[in-house]
Amino acid sequence: MDKIINIAMDGPVGAGKSSIARAVADRLNILHLDTGAMYRAVGLTAISRGVSVNDEEAVSALCKEITLTVEHHADGQHTLVDGRDVTGSLRTEEVSMAASRVATYPGVRAEMVAIQQRLAKTTSMLVDGRDIGTRVLPDATIKIFLTAQAEERARRRYVQLQEAGASDTFEQVLEDLRRRDDQDMNRKTDPLRVAEDAVVVDSTDCTFEQTVERILMLVEERIREKE
Ligand code: DC
């Protein structure tokens, strides 16, 4: 069997992580596991079943009850809850806030981390999230921390929302982003932080393609070093 390559990619909301992760994984011909989608699926399920996302015990119990799976198709990752594909419902602001909230619960994190570790153990993949380098894949082949300044991240998110026809103002988007940064960085269990051995890539002044190229170069360098 070929050697398994695991790339850990962490960073704050809006750094372009998901799309960059996907492009890098495609170029390396490995799978991309979007772990944020898994927390989003838990948040969405709580909302749709009338479970308050502030009720830690109920959300943790719900998380144990459901079967969360991911499938990789030609158009990317599909996330399923009890066999139902929820991919199309995960990207609303309501679900974003719910995901950030449920992701603070240790019971939820334990379930998600176990699934992610199981998947990465047998398959080469690029795993993107918040705690991948620090918790999920401490022995990853390479750890990338992808970031950009908050205003730039908010600007990119704002453009996306505008294109989708949303009416949020830039100030609202920036405020939401800061609130989520705060929630992600200050939670007790596995907060977002730079792993000691991670390479920090700041994309504030880089185009999408420049960022992809830079990460590919780092990965290839690391693979060569390890050979
Ligand atoms: O990357 P994203 O915006 O889709 O993630 C949704 C939420 O889930 C976000 O608030 C952070 C949280 N998350 C996490 O805590 N750990 C991960 N590995 C991935 C996401």
Side-chain angles (χ1 to χ4, degrees):
M1 194 170 73
D2 283 346
K3 213 163 178 290
I4 304 283
I5 296 170
N6 283 161
I7 302 174
M9 191 183 287
D10 293 297
V13 59
K17 227 170 354 110
S18 284
S19 43
I20 286 177
R22 194 165 159 207
V24 171
D26 278 354
R27 296 269 285 273
L28 294 169
N29 204 17
I30 60 175
L31 293 182
H32 165 217
L33 179 65
D34 173 2
T35 62
M38 299 169 67
Y39 289 93
R40 285 171 183 272
V42 175
L44 172 74
T45 307
I47 294 169
S48 64
R49 297 201 187 168
V51 172
S52 163
V53 295
N54 295 316
D55 186 338
E56 175 169 356
E57 214 173 300
V59 174
S60 306
L62 176 70
C63 197
K64 278 208 156 70
E65 229 173 82
I66 60 176
T67 304
L68 208 155
T69 46
V70 297
E71 290 177 0
H72 288 90
H73 297 197
D75 64 348
Q77 175 173 318
H78 285 237
T79 308
L80 293 83
V81 176
D82 294 333
R84 199 170 71 85
D85 192 340
V86 296
T87 313
S89 311
L90 299 179
R91 301 278 145 202
T92 65
E93 287 301 288
E94 189 192 12
V95 172
S96 299
M97 283 315 291
S100 183
R101 184 82 188 120
V102 303
T104 62
Y105 303 146
V108 172
R109 302 203 69 82
E111 294 288 323
M112 298 300 111
V113 169
I115 300 173
Q116 293 153 15
Q117 288 178 330
R118 206 171 52 233
L119 291 169
K121 200 170 178 171
T122 51
T123 314
S124 285
M125 44 174 66
L126 186 158
V127 185
D128 100 65
R130 303 293 192 284
D131 59 339
I132 310 305
T134 52
R135 173 85 176 90
V136 180
L137 302 174
D139 300 322
T141 316
I142 184 167
K143 301 176 183 178
I144 306 281
F145 191 90
L146 181 65
T147 189
Q149 280 166 13
E151 284 75 10
E152 174 59 17
R153 291 187 281 124
R155 192 195 61 75
R156 293 175 190 169
R157 181 78 189 122
Y158 175 68
V159 171
Q160 271 176 357
L161 285 169
Q162 291 251 297
E163 281 167 7
S167 58
D168 309 53
T169 64
F170 174 77
E171 285 67 29
Q172 279 167 341
V173 175
L174 181 61
E175 197 190 308
D176 266 9
L177 182 132
R178 290 212 154 111
R179 212 149 28 112
R180 274 203 280 160
D181 274 359
D182 183 60
Q183 216 159 249
D184 293 344
M185 289 190 284
N186 294 311
R187 67 167 174 245
K188 285 202 191 72
T189 311
D190 296 330
L192 171 67
R193 62 187 170 77
V194 184
E196 255 172 42
D197 47 352
V199 186
V200 177
V201 174
D202 187 326
S203 74
T204 306
D205 298 316
C206 298
T207 64
F208 179 84
E209 195 47 40
Q210 284 168 336
T211 310
V212 170
E213 286 296 335
R214 164 124 180 82
I215 294 173
L216 281 170
M217 211 183 69
L218 291 167
V219 171
E220 277 155 17
E221 234 173 61
R222 179 62 56 87
I223 292 173
R224 265 202 309 276
E225 274 167 25
K226 292 211 165 182
E227 267 168 6

